[in-house]
Amino acid sequence: MAVKKQYAIIGMGRFGSSVANSLSKMGFEVLAIDSSEQKIQEVASMVTHAVSADSTEEEALKALGIRNFDVVVVAIGQDIQASILTTLILKDLGVPMLVAKAQNELHGKVLSKIGADKVIFPERDMGTRVAHNLISPNIMDYIELSDDHSIVDMRASTNMIGQNLIELDIRARFGCNIMAIKNNGHINISPLADYRLREGDVMVIVGQNDHLNKLELALSEL
């Protein structure tokens, strides 16, 4: 079984704490970092580790072993300068996957230019949705229907292509239902069990949140 990814989230505002909380609930190891001791105390119980540190200090990040984390999310709030400096330092330290939150389009362009692998705009991306996307790049969208149920748009992974829905057996294995399959603007509602997945197919799957989480985790380890 693959080793679960480790995530570090820098900045425990509403967005950062939402991403950290969502990842923790899915069973991942999460390090929460913020310069505010109070914010760290607020999130300490919901993450694996919570540390008060200044992310604009290279030595502080080195001491936390930040480059050992698979994914680092820079979720710093209003301080654009701190966000940019932190992103630069992390890139310089060789973090494998660097995701940064942007306040606006211009800030986003700067973050992309200095090496952020993915730039997120919180107005468009909820923390929960981002957390699901971090787990598996095949998760394209995640919509919460209620506290217990959600809909996920999931791209068919390479090893799924050519399999039919009976062989995948998502309903029996994970308790989730494939409602539709989208491909290049076309939607196949209630696809038949013998439908074989093709390249570019996106499955629209509905289920209980804990069942969907198991499905995502299984796919992330393929």
Side-chain angles (χ1 to χ4, degrees), residues 35-101:
S35 56
S36 162
E37 188 66 52
Q38 184 186 337
K39 283 183 179 174
I40 286 302
Q41 285 174 3
E42 286 169 6
V43 300
S45 62
M46 67 187 191
V47 296
T48 321
H49 307 287
V51 178
S52 175
D54 182 354
S55 63
T56 64
E57 295 286 338
E58 186 174 347
E59 291 307 315
L61 292 178
K62 273 186 183 172
L64 292 170
I66 202 79
R67 70 185 110 191
N68 298 325
F69 286 81
D70 301 287
V71 182
V72 180
V73 180
V74 180
I76 293 169
Q78 299 301 314
D79 192 341
I80 288 178
Q81 189 175 322
S83 158
I84 291 169
L85 188 52
T86 299
T87 302
L88 272 171
I89 292 169
L90 290 168
K91 198 65 194 173
D92 196 45
L93 289 174
V95 167
M97 177 70 179
L98 179 53
V99 179
K101 177 186 106 164

Side-chain angles (χ1 to χ4, degrees), residues 8 29 48 59 63 66 74 83 185 187 199 202 210 212:
E29 190 168 314
T48 321
E59 291 307 315
I66 202 79
V74 180
S83 158
I187 299 181
E199 194 159 340
V202 174
D210 54 347
L212 287 169

Side-chain angles (χ1 to χ4, degrees), residues 12-195:
M12 286 296 111
R14 242 170 43 189
F15 177 77
S17 58
S18 171
V19 174
N21 192 23
S22 296
L23 289 168
S24 289
K25 280 180 177 174
M26 287 179 244
F28 288 93
E29 190 168 314
V30 177
L31 167 65
I33 303 168
D34 197 285
S35 56
S36 162
E37 188 66 52
Q38 184 186 337
K39 283 183 179 174
I40 286 302
Q41 285 174 3
E42 286 169 6
V43 300
S45 62
M46 67 187 191
V47 296
T48 321
H49 307 287
V51 178
S52 175
D54 182 354
S55 63
T56 64
E57 295 286 338
E58 186 174 347
E59 291 307 315
L61 292 178
K62 273 186 183 172
L64 292 170
I66 202 79
R67 70 185 110 191
N68 298 325
F69 286 81
D70 301 287
V71 182
V72 180
V73 180
V74 180
I76 293 169
Q78 299 301 314
D79 192 341
I80 288 178
Q81 189 175 322
S83 158
I84 291 169
L85 188 52
T86 299
T87 302
L88 272 171
I89 292 169
L90 290 168
K91 198 65 194 173
D92 196 45
L93 289 174
V95 167
M97 177 70 179
L98 179 53
V99 179
K101 177 186 106 164
Q103 295 292 341
N104 51 50
E105 293 292 337
L106 185 59
H107 183 201
K109 280 181 184 174
V110 173
L111 292 170
S112 293
K113 272 191 189 302
I114 61 176
D117 298 293
K118 187 179 176 80
V119 175
I120 288 160
F121 297 87
E123 294 76 19
R124 303 202 297 250
D125 301 284
M126 298 181 311
T128 304
R129 188 178 298 177
V130 170
H132 284 273
N133 186 256
L134 290 175
I135 293 167
S136 171
N138 293 327
I139 303 297
M140 300 176 70
D141 203 358
Y142 187 96
I143 301 165
E144 292 177 308
L145 299 174
S146 68
D147 288 344
D148 303 315
H149 289 81
S150 298
I151 292 178
V152 171
D153 280 9
M154 187 178 291
R155 187 189 293 113
S157 58
T158 309
N159 60 337
M160 286 181 173
I161 293 165
Q163 290 192 63
N164 65 31
L165 301 188
I166 297 171
E167 290 163 344
L168 277 180
D169 210 12
I170 281 174
R171 185 169 187 172
R173 289 168 64 203
F174 302 102
C176 302
N177 291 305
I178 297 176
M179 295 167 54
I181 292 175
K182 301 189 284 192
N183 193 318
N184 202 23
H186 300 287
I187 299 181
N188 178 354
I189 304 290
S190 299
L192 298 172
D194 61 357
Y195 177 87

